[in-house]
Amino acid sequence: MGRGSALLLLGFLLLRLNWGLAVGGGGAEEEGGVFPVVVSTWPFLDAVRAAWEVVAAGGAGGSAVDAVVAGCSACEVLRCDGTVGPGGSPDENGETTLDALIMNGTTMEIGAVAAMRYVKDGIKAAKLVMEYTDHTLLVGEKATAFAISMGLAGPTNLSSPESIEKWTNWRLNHCQPNFWKNVVPAGICGPYHPVNIPPFGFKDPVKGTVEETQGATCQGWLQSDNVLEPTNSHFKSVNRHNHDTISMAVIDKMGHIAVGTSTNGATFKIPGRVGDGPIPGSSAYGDDEVGACGATGDGDIMMRFLPCYQVVESMRQGMEPRDAAMDAISRIARKYPDFIGAVFAMNKKGVHAGACHGWTFQYSVRNFSMQDVEVITVTPYMARPQK
């Protein structure tokens, strides 16, 4: 073998070593700039495959932004776990609404919609906000009007027989559990008002209406004794089937990064509630110069900490993805030991890892060295008690 051939062989072997898998802490890590890469929360295999088809196409492939839209759209159509797209997670009124976000890590542009009614294409609506407005977030019926004016189908009923049945059974269970606290009446359906005693001379309109229309037969639920009952308001078992998001990150062949999320929010949420799905830096964040992050779990808690912004900034300061993910989760766990959530982190080289608290988390990955999507399982982080 000539010297030139030997050097070529040595270089090839070193390159192969850089592509090897290393397992530790939060899951598997890929080393070396191996593009493209698609990462998504949960075993949403078809969503990752849809994104991969776009980004791994011939030539330069599709863009990271287009891949994220394809992947999240697939999950919306499939109604992943009933928590993404139409037909799931009814609110207290039985209605399904959508939240979504997309971020271009090259330009740092973001588009998002929240509490959007009557349009089933959440991630496409978010992309329209990013591409055709100077805004970042549109909400409610105005987001609906915008999306339809830009060519998306609607108005469409986002409920389904399954979501209506779920809501009906919840009503029959006295609207329990729910997301209210410090209110009366406790333990049954509303309308609710604060526990605090109203000012002198104030007549409770709810009580007055019941007294006038129902007489004494329905007075028990308005008696002051109810103030002493525990509200048992918040869901004690948040899980991926009632309170979840698809969060996806893509690095395309050019090394550009995009992230996106789509969700129909928390089941039986108070109408108007917006979780972390459309909040930049909470559910997702990406920067070509550093990497990307996706999050899932109890958005009402997690959005108070912007965990994905924290992950990306920690990696910017030199942390490895696993350490950055664990650091972000630990910051939340120290303040809220009972919270349930997870993040995945991926640096600009495609190295990825995850961390979680309160549940066992799984995320999905596809890169060029894999024959199909692979699912990584992450064990829960145990928070150390504060001194």
Side-chain angles (χ1 to χ4, degrees):
M1 181 182 294
R3 181 180 179 185
S5 298
L7 289 174
L8 182 62
L9 178 60
L10 178 61
F12 176 76
L13 290 173
L14 289 173
L15 186 60
R16 290 290 294 177
L17 284 173
N18 282 337
W19 291 345
L21 284 174
V23 179
E29 298 184 5
E30 298 271 351
E31 295 188 359
V34 187
F35 309 137
V37 184
V38 179
V39 182
S40 170
T41 53
W42 302 117
F44 295 152
L45 306 185
D46 288 331
V48 175
R49 289 170 183 146
W52 180 256
E53 287 181 7
V54 172
V55 81
S63 72
V65 168
D66 288 341
V68 167
V69 172
C72 290
S73 291
C75 228
E76 291 171 350
V77 171
L78 294 169
R79 302 180 180 182
C80 292
D81 280 339
T83 63
V84 180
S89 298
D91 65 16
E92 280 195 344
N93 292 334
E95 182 180 8
T96 297
T97 56
L98 304 183
D99 302 335
L101 171 147
I102 191 162
M103 180 175 186
N104 184 330
T106 305
T107 65
M108 307 304 284
E109 293 175 292
I110 297 171
V113 292
M116 185 174 70
R117 310 172 72 190
Y118 308 131
V119 172
K120 61 183 176 60
D121 301 302
I123 192 68
K124 291 179 180 178
K127 184 170 182 280
L128 290 170
V129 174
M130 182 176 73
E131 289 187 330
Y132 296 107
T133 82
D134 288 326
H135 301 311
T136 294
L137 174 64
L138 299 181
V139 303
E141 293 185 0
K142 299 304 181 182
T144 302
F146 166 81
I148 293 173
S149 74
M150 298 302 290
L152 294 183
T156 301
N157 184 359
L158 301 186
S159 298
S160 67
E162 293 80 11
S163 69
I164 294 301
E165 180 182 11
K166 182 184 294 185
W167 176 73
T168 301
N169 291 335
W170 177 74
R171 294 281 300 180
L172 291 174
N173 192 44
H174 309 295
C175 303
Q176 300 299 314
N178 60 49
F179 290 94
W180 292 90
K181 64 180 182 181
N182 303 324
V183 295
V184 291
I188 60 173
C189 299
Y192 305 98
H193 60 88
V195 169
N196 299 333
I197 298 175
F200 178 78
F202 174 81
K203 183 173 178 60
D204 187 329
V206 176
K207 183 174 181 179
T209 300
V210 172
E211 288 175 343
E212 293 171 6
T213 60
Q214 303 296 330
T217 58
C218 291
Q219 295 309 300
W221 65 277
L222 283 170
Q223 291 174 358
S224 59
D225 288 346
N226 280 313
V227 176
L228 303 178
E229 297 176 7
T231 60
N232 191 29
S233 60
H234 194 67
F235 283 85
K236 301 303 181 185
S237 181
V238 172
N239 61 64
R240 55 183 283 198
H241 303 295
N242 66 19
H243 200 287
D244 202 18
T245 307
I246 179 173
S247 184
M248 177 175 284
V250 174
I251 306 179
D252 63 26
K253 288 183 177 180
M254 305 303 292
H256 298 314
I257 292 173
V259 297
T261 65
S262 184
T263 180
N264 51 41
T267 306
F268 311 131
K269 62 191 174 189
I270 298 170
R273 178 263 188 186
V274 174
D276 69 331
I279 306 302
S282 187
S283 66
Y285 199 74
D287 184 341
D288 280 10
E289 297 178 357
V290 183
C293 170
T296 183
D298 189 342
D300 289 294
I301 298 297
M302 297 181 76
M303 67 194 297
R304 302 170 191 178
F305 295 83
L306 298 181
C308 275
Y309 179 79
Q310 182 65 55
V311 164
V312 171
E313 290 309 301
S314 292
M315 291 193 296
R316 193 189 304 276
Q317 298 303 315
M319 275 194 188
E320 293 299 317
R322 185 185 68 181
D323 295 333
M326 292 185 69
D327 174 70
I329 288 295
S330 68
R331 290 169 184 261
I332 306 173
R334 284 196 296 268
K335 299 288 187 178
Y336 292 93
D338 296 328
F339 104 96
I340 294 175
V343 299
F344 68 76
M346 176 170 61
N347 69 17
K348 65 181 181 180
K349 296 180 180 180
V351 180
H352 56 83
C356 61
H357 185 269
W359 56 9
T360 296
F361 172 56
Q362 292 181 307
Y363 67 94
S364 304
V365 184
R366 177 76 197 269
N367 66 28
F368 89 102
S369 68
M370 300 174 180
Q371 295 300 312
D372 197 1
V373 184
E374 295 185 5
V375 177
I376 309 299
T377 299
V378 183
T379 55
Y381 165 84
M382 300 302 293
R384 297 180 178 87
Q386 289 182 293
K387 295 182 179 179

